[in-house]
Amino acid sequence: MKEIDWSNLSFGYIKTDYNVRCYYRNGAWGELELCSEETLNIHMAATCLHYGQEAFEGLKAYRGKDGKIRIFRPEANAERLQSTCNGILMPELPTEMFVEAVKKVVKANERFIPPYESGAALYIRPLLIGTGAQVGVHPANEYLFVIFVTPVGPYFKGGFSTNPYVIIREFDRAAPYGTGRFKVGGNYAASLHANKMAHDLGYSCEFYLDAKEKKYIDECGAANFFGIKDNTYITPKSSSILPSITNRSLMQLAEDLGIKVECRPIAEEELDTFEEAGACGTAAVISPIQRIDDLENKKSYVISKDGKPGPVCTKLYNKLRAIQYGDEPDTHNWVTVLD
Ligand SMILES: *Cc1c(COP(=O)(O)O)cnc(C)c1O
């Protein structure tokens, strides 16, 4: 294999040795198979291609200072995938099978897990697709579950820093009782235009308000939002946002630090009152928000006056990363150590 430059990895696809696959046929899941083929051979009438029967997940494995490999909360991803399967009528994959598949694919690709010092990690991408042929709109009778992995670089190349966001009203990623709370590809297709608009305008990401009233905060691109004020961690309650495992973990860590946690609707105007805010997800853990511009209403909510990440964001970020890399004790039993 060509030497990988661990300290210069981006968030891109690098071929690894193996992926793991499992087929659902005749009403049952088969055995987990280790596969070295990168492509899938599926029927052209597969429901994933026409009717969006596609779900995915994202998590990471980290190499610690002690050389051990840690996988962060795979059971939580298994449960979220089950919820997504329920949402778009696909068969659920049992938690034990999901976790076993994750461990198997990580173990088989151990040489691609970046060294501790690089700050990089192994990104794990499970997907579940309807492969059965169907022309009418019905759920498929056959499915394929695949997990591939690829090494990814640290999100913050120049160090932990803030980013500007822009409110986009022309496109919604999800309707109030649509598929926003499920991790399906369709939500991403719906977000591509808004994401491009934000990038073209020089912002790091698009910011969504609720689709119905355009009054409350939903999500920042493909990450959850949280704001900090008066020693309180506040994150939106909405039927159209994806329940982020990073957000859930940060809420717990905030509580551990004696910070109050609120999950409730957040009106756009409240952005003016936050001392700090961040976008959170597996990719960055926390991406602190510098400001959020509302171009239509000629408003700019400046959150970080000095342009630097605030103390609470920094503390939460360091704490969660320390648990993921094994630098600090895993008091909540979040980490699966590979044996
Ligand atoms: C995956 C995802 C997130 C982040 O979830 P994590 O479990 O924290 O990685 C947030 N929003 C959307 C829309 C997502 O798809």
Side-chain angles (χ1 to χ4, degrees), residues 10-16 38 148-151:
S10 62
F11 194 86
Y13 177 81
I14 292 175
K15 185 184 186 311
T16 60
E38 283 176 288
F148 68 80
V149 296
T150 196

Side-chain angles (χ1 to χ4, degrees), residues 56 58 77 80 173 180 183 188 219 221-224 242-247 280-283:
F56 69 99
N77 292 92
R80 187 168 65 190
R173 65 173 280 283
K183 210 166 175 77
Y188 280 76
E219 284 202 76
N224 277 189
L242 198 278
S244 152
I245 295 160
T246 311
N247 196 5
C280 61
T282 295

Side-chain angles (χ1 to χ4, degrees), residues 83-273:
S83 155
T84 301
C85 285
N86 234 311
I88 60 167
L89 297 186
M90 303 201 290
E92 289 179 14
L93 194 82
T95 302
E96 311 76 68
M97 202 164 178
F98 180 94
V99 175
E100 196 196 325
V102 168
K103 284 162 127 176
K104 198 180 175 87
V105 73
V106 171
K107 184 109 199 134
N109 294 292
E110 209 167 332
R111 67 190 185 101
F112 293 95
I113 308 173
Y116 171 80
E117 298 72 31
S118 66
L122 187 73
Y123 185 71
I124 305 166
R125 168 54 60 85
L127 59 142
L128 202 162
I129 56 173
T131 50
Q134 206 77 260
V135 177
V137 183
H138 302 288
N141 46 20
E142 292 191 355
Y143 294 83
L144 170 58
F145 174 67
V146 184
I147 311 183
F148 68 80
V149 296
T150 196
V152 293
Y155 192 87
F156 298 101
K157 290 235 166 55
F160 193 49
S161 59
T162 65
N163 280 307
Y165 288 74
V166 63
I167 292 174
I168 300 280
R169 285 193 178 74
E170 291 90 335
F171 296 92
D172 293 313
R173 65 173 280 283
Y177 291 96
T179 53
R181 67 212 134 121
F182 307 125
K183 210 166 175 77
V184 297
N187 297 336
Y188 280 76
S191 76
L192 289 175
H193 220 121
N195 185 260
K196 181 176 186 312
M197 282 173 79
H199 283 152
D200 288 350
L201 289 165
Y203 293 91
S204 82
C205 206
E206 76 279 20
F207 199 89
Y208 294 104
L209 299 177
D210 76 284
K212 189 175 173 192
E213 297 186 77
K214 300 276 184 196
K215 207 176 148 195
Y216 300 97
I217 292 161
D218 251 10
E219 284 202 76
C220 335
N224 277 189
F225 171 86
F226 67 88
I228 306 283
K229 65 175 172 185
D230 309 324
N231 197 40
T232 311
Y233 180 108
I234 309 164
T235 191
K237 190 180 177 71
S238 156
S239 61
S240 53
I241 64 181
L242 198 278
S244 152
I245 295 160
T246 311
N247 196 5
R248 214 207 301 166
S249 309
L250 292 172
M251 285 189 246
Q252 179 64 59
L253 295 179
E255 234 179 80
D256 296 351
L257 291 168
I259 297 167
K260 228 169 73 190
V261 173
E262 289 177 10
C263 186
R264 58 164 172 82
I266 303 173
E268 182 188 332
E269 302 74 56
E270 198 177 342
L271 288 175
D272 256 338
T273 67

Side-chain angles (χ1 to χ4, degrees), residues 303-324:
I303 303 207
S304 169
K305 311 279 184 274
D306 62 0
K308 295 198 189 97
V312 178
C313 281
T314 306
K315 205 184 278 181
L316 288 171
Y317 173 79
N318 288 335
K319 184 85 194 165
L320 189 51
R321 295 249 313 169
I323 294 171
Q324 290 170 331

